[in-house]
């Protein structure tokens, strides 16, 4: 089977390409390298022992996509390409809607034209907003609080409408919780731009001495120790969930919407302690005010993923920390 992986040079996409190729799929990567490096493709090649087929280009470029679909007979598309910084989406909403919504529309239009109707979409638990029920089931109402989340909810809506209009489509909408970690080889991982927004890369930079301390955003939440609770999932577990979803839609038409999380919540201080224990490095911290827009606690109800995909996350918090730390050291050197 030949899979087009958009955004395959990025953090999650690169790990997906590795697992797809190791599982025997043929892969073509399309990426505009706006948030990634060509070197990642060489490193994927080193992990899998085979060169990665790559096209440098943009999912919004309809003529380029048309040429690509003329050149290759794709069976399915995994669509990772998109912008993902919540704060940036607030200050640059048009850029986010253009990239994430218009980009997805262009891709779907070309797929439809070429009768390629298997699609795996990177959505996000952010579509749940501030969920009323935790652990969060897929039936939780959609409620977005920023343009990034809204762009994901819009594409989800487009996909549902598409599936209703034409039952030939086979679509998996995967709602990620908090992906962390890196490939255990130390060859691929996340390239955070500038000051990291996310907890794990920030902790790793503090442990490495690149930053003085971690600011813990809020210590008065209604959680185990007052700090925010999230569902951290190892990126390799996450992408294995994509392979199960691809197999699932290969067997069944229609649309599947599924959480990808562990079902286990950890607080900021629990993560920090886990990182110190797993790596032997101290992570100094200070308790500061809440970060605007943050919710106190959310983690996945992973039961549906297990039921329909036969998938559950297996990698421990220790592995998440150790793999993040190994990657952090690679980034420094
Ligand atoms: P990333 O930025 O590392 O990867 C995205 C890749 O897409 C990059 O290589 C970038 O160069 C490429 N890209 C962006 N716009 C493009 C375009 N118009 N055409 C072609 N290529 C383009 O991000 P990631 O963390 O790997 O996220 C992948 C997907 O998963 C995104 O859609 C993101 O919104 C979603 N997601 C990520 C997280 C997370 O915490 N990392 C959580 C939930 C959902
Ligand atoms: N967090 C923190 N300090 C940081 C970054 C994050 O205390 O420098 C907290 C944040 O308030 C949240 C958790 O860590 O409770 C996870 O934040 P992240 O941005 O990684 O994920 P998200 O909030 O988008 O789920």
């Amino acid at each position: 089977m030949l899979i087009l992986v958009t955004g395959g040079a990025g953090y999650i996409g690169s790990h997906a390409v590795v697992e797809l190729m190791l599982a025997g799929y043929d892969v073509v990567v399309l990426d505009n390298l706006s948030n990634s490096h060509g070197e990642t493709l060489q490193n994927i090649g080193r992990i899998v022992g085979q060169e990665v087929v790559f096209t440098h280009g943009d999912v919004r470029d309809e003529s380029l996509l048309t040429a690509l679909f003329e050149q290759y007979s794709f069976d399915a598309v995994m669509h990772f390409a998109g912008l993902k910084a919540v704060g940036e989406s607030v200050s640059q909403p048009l850029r986010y809607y253009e990239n994430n919504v218009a980009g997805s529309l262009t891709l779907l239009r070309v797929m439809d034209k070429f009768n390629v109707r298997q699609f795996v979409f990177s959505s996000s638990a952010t579509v749940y907003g501030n969920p009323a029920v935790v652990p969060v089931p897929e039936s939780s109402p959609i409620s977005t609080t920023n343009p990034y989340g809204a762009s994901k909810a819009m594409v989800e809506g487009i996909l549902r409408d598409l599936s209703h209009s034409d039952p030939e489509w086979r679509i998996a909408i995967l709602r990620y919780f908090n992906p962390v970690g890196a490939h255990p080889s130390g060859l691929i991982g996340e390239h955070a731009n500038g000051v990291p927004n996310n907890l794990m890369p920030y902790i790793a930079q503090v442990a490495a001495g690149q930053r003085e301390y971690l600011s813990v955003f809020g210590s008065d939440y209604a959680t185990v120790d007052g700090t925010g609770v999230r569902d951290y999932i190892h990126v390799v577990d996450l992408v294995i969930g994509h392979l199960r979803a691809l197999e699932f839609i290969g067997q069944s038409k229609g649309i599947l919407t599924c959480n990808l999380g562990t079902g286990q919540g950890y607080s900021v201080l629990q993560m920090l302690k886990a990182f110190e224990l797993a790596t032997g490095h101290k992570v100094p911290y200070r308790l500061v005010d809440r970060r605007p827009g943050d919710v106190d606690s959310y983690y996945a109800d992973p039961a549906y993923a297990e039921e329909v995909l036969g998938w559950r996350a297996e990698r421990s918090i220790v592995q998440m920390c150790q793999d993040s730390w190994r990657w952090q050291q690679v980034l420094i050197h």
Side-chain angles (χ1 to χ4, degrees):
M1 263 181 91
L2 179 59
I3 318 294
L4 173 64
V5 180
T6 74
Y11 172 42
I12 301 170
S14 60
H15 289 81
V17 173
V18 166
E19 295 306 320
L20 284 166
M21 290 179 76
L22 289 177
Y25 290 96
D26 294 315
V27 171
V28 173
V29 170
L30 172 68
D31 200 301
N32 65 6
L33 302 181
S34 59
N35 196 35
S36 49
H37 306 273
E39 191 189 312
T40 300
L41 299 157
Q42 281 147 32
N43 286 336
I44 297 172
R46 286 168 67 191
I47 297 171
V48 302
Q50 201 185 325
E51 217 169 285
V52 180
V53 181
F54 173 59
T55 296
H56 186 188
D58 198 297
V59 288
R60 292 165 294 176
D61 185 342
E62 189 154 355
S63 52
L64 177 135
L65 282 182
T66 302
L68 203 61
F69 277 71
E70 272 164 359
Q71 187 181 353
Y72 297 104
S73 295
F74 295 117
D75 296 289
V77 176
M78 278 195 189
H79 182 38
F80 296 96
L83 302 176
K84 62 169 180 175
V86 171
E88 198 178 64
S89 79
V90 175
S91 56
Q92 303 174 28
L94 296 182
R95 185 168 158 243
Y96 269 69
Y97 290 123
E98 167 66 25
N99 209 318
N100 294 1
V101 182
S104 299
L105 270 177
T106 306
L107 178 60
L108 290 165
R109 196 163 51 239
V110 175
M111 286 179 67
D112 201 41
K113 198 163 118 195
F114 284 86
N115 300 315
V116 180
R117 298 201 176 87
Q118 295 193 60
F119 190 70
V120 179
F121 177 60
S122 300
S123 189
S124 168
T126 194
V127 299
Y128 297 123
N130 193 349
V133 181
V134 177
V136 192
E138 287 82 357
S139 55
S140 204
I142 302 288
S143 128
T144 59
T145 52
N146 54 70
Y148 168 69
S151 76
K152 291 293 177 191
M154 283 178 192
V155 176
E156 285 200 6
I158 291 166
L159 291 172
R160 280 188 286 273
D161 290 343
L162 187 58
S163 169
H164 291 149
S165 76
D166 179 354
E168 287 304 309
W169 278 89
R170 299 159 182 266
I171 296 169
I173 292 173
L174 303 178
R175 293 177 177 158
Y176 311 164
F177 281 68
N178 290 54
V180 296
H183 197 266
S185 63
L187 286 167
I188 56 171
E190 183 171 20
H191 289 269
N193 263 339
V195 182
N197 289 311
N198 294 118
L199 180 65
M200 189 62 119
Y202 206 105
I203 288 181
Q205 292 194 3
V206 174
Q210 288 173 283
R211 301 191 187 277
E212 205 185 333
Y213 60 88
L214 172 76
S215 295
V216 176
F217 298 142
S219 50
D220 58 351
Y221 286 113
T223 61
V224 57
D225 54 20
T227 66
V229 167
R230 296 289 184 274
D231 184 338
Y232 300 94
I233 176 169
H234 196 294
V235 63
V236 174
D237 277 331
L238 184 84
V239 300
I240 290 172
H242 288 64
L243 268 70
R244 295 294 93 79
L246 186 63
E247 290 158 12
F248 179 87
I249 61 173
Q251 300 299 316
S252 29
K253 293 179 186 173
I255 188 158
L256 165 84
T257 304
C258 207
N259 285 339
L260 293 182
T262 66
Q264 167 80 53
Y266 286 97
S267 75
V268 175
L269 290 180
Q270 285 172 334
M271 284 302 284
L272 187 147
K273 294 295 165 207
F275 192 95
E276 289 185 337
L277 268 176
T279 66
H281 285 263
K282 285 298 283 179
V283 181
Y285 69 92
R286 289 183 197 168
L287 303 177
V288 303
D289 286 346
R290 292 180 177 197
R291 182 170 66 178
D294 270 1
V295 304
D296 56 355
S297 176
Y298 70 86
Y299 46 95
D301 179 344
Y304 187 58
E306 179 149 14
E307 184 193 321
V308 292
L309 304 180
W311 169 92
R312 64 193 296 179
E314 286 172 356
R315 287 158 181 79
S316 68
I317 199 82
V318 174
Q319 282 168 287
M320 298 181 209
C321 294
Q322 287 175 339
D323 291 340
S324 295
W325 179 235
R326 186 182 300 106
W327 175 243
Q328 178 61 36
Q329 289 163 292
V330 172
L331 284 175
I332 292 170
H333 296 117

